[in-house]
Amino acid sequence: MSKRGYHHGNLRQALIDAALELITEKGPTGFTLSEAAKQAGVTPAAVYRHFEGREDLIAEAARQGYAIFADVMQFAYDSGQPSALAAFEATGRAYLAFARKYPGHYIAMFESGISVNRTPELAAVSARARAVLERAAEELSQHIPPEKRPPASMFSAHIWALSHGVVELFARNSPGTTSPFPPEELLESGIGIYLRGLGLIAPDQ
C-alpha cells in the first residue's frame, strides 16, 4: 500500500483511517499498532509520535465517529421540522443509517470498550450526539399530559436502546442471527409501539 498519509502530510489521519479499516475487518482488539502502521504505509515507530497506544488510536476514531454521528442526527432532526413527531422518528432512522455507513466508527464508539469519558473531547462530542435525541424527545413529550410525561432523558434513552439493539442484533450481521424482518421495519414498528404506549400516535384500528 502506498504511503498515503505520509505523502499527504497527514500521518495522524492516515493512521486513524487505517485503524478504521482494521476495526471493520477484525474488530477493535483484532489488530496491532504495527498493523495499523503497515496499513498506513509507515514504520511502527511513527505511530507513537501521535498515539500512546492502540486504545488512544481507537479513542480518536471514536471521537471522530461521534462528531459525524452528531451531525447526522442533527441533520435528521432538522429534516423532520416543524413536526416534532417526524423529527423524532428521523433521528431513530439516522441511528441505523449511521451504523451501516460508518461501521468502523460505530464499532470504535460502541463495541471497543473505550469510555466516552476517556478524554474531554470525546466526552463533549458524545454528549452533543445524545443531546440531539434528547431534545427531540423533549419536544415530542410536550404533547403528553404532564402527569404522564416521562423524563426526556428516559424517553430518549429508551429509543437509543431500541435503535442500538436492532443494529447490534440484526443490522451488523451478528453470527448465527437472522432478522425476521428488515431492520428498518423492526425499528419503525418498535418506535411506533413505544409512541402509541405514550399516546403520541393513534392506536391501530
Side-chain angles (χ1 to χ4, degrees), residues 12 29-30 35 46 49 52 58 60 64 73-75 80 100 107 111 114 116 119 140 142 156 171-172 182 188 201 205:
R12 190 170 190 272
T29 61
E35 287 179 281
R49 292 202 293 269
E52 294 180 1
I58 294 173
E60 177 57 21
Q64 292 187 6
M73 295 289 277
Q74 186 66 56
F75 179 83
R100 281 188 162 149
I107 295 168
E111 298 177 12
I114 299 294
V116 294
T119 67
L140 188 54
Q142 297 306 307
S156 62
R172 292 205 1 88
E188 183 177 353
I201 58 178
Q205 299 300 320

Side-chain angles (χ1 to χ4, degrees), residues 170-194:
F170 303 119
R172 292 205 1 88
N173 301 316
S174 298
T177 62
T178 302
S179 175
F181 302 97
E184 291 83 0
E185 291 184 15
L186 282 174
L187 183 57
E188 183 177 353
S189 62
I191 291 176
I193 291 167
Y194 184 86

Side-chain angles (χ1 to χ4, degrees), residues 17-177:
D17 292 342
L20 287 166
E21 293 177 12
L22 290 166
I23 289 168
T24 302
E25 179 185 350
K26 300 182 176 184
T29 61
F31 72 98
T32 65
L33 280 178
S34 293
E35 287 179 281
K38 183 178 179 181
Q39 187 94 331
V42 298
T43 65
V47 180
Y48 291 98
R49 292 202 293 269
H50 300 277
F51 301 101
E52 294 180 1
R54 184 176 61 186
E55 286 195 354
D56 194 28
L57 175 57
I58 294 173
E60 177 57 21
R63 187 200 66 77
Q64 292 187 6
Y66 269 112
I68 297 168
F69 183 54
D71 289 342
V72 167
M73 295 289 277
Q74 186 66 56
F75 179 83
Y77 171 81
D78 292 341
S79 71
Q81 294 295 331
S83 167
L85 177 59
F88 185 79
E89 291 177 331
T91 58
R93 290 191 296 272
Y95 193 104
L96 182 56
F98 172 83
R100 281 188 162 149
K101 187 172 182 179
Y102 301 97
H105 289 97
Y106 180 90
I107 295 168
M109 292 157 62
F110 299 119
E111 298 177 12
S112 67
I114 299 294
S115 170
V116 294
N117 296 315
R118 184 180 177 87
T119 67
E121 295 79 12
L122 180 54
V125 73
S126 64
R128 180 164 70 90
R130 291 194 303 272
V132 177
L133 185 55
E134 189 166 325
R135 184 166 67 253
E138 176 70 35
E139 290 186 1
L140 188 54
S141 66
Q142 297 306 307
H143 299 279
I144 303 172
E147 67 276 9
K148 297 181 179 180
R149 186 182 303 161
S153 57
M154 178 185 290
F155 189 165
S156 62
H158 285 159
I159 298 302
W160 188 303
L162 176 60
S163 303
H164 190 75
V166 169
V167 168
E168 288 294 321
L169 290 173
F170 303 119
R172 292 205 1 88
N173 301 316
S174 298
T177 62

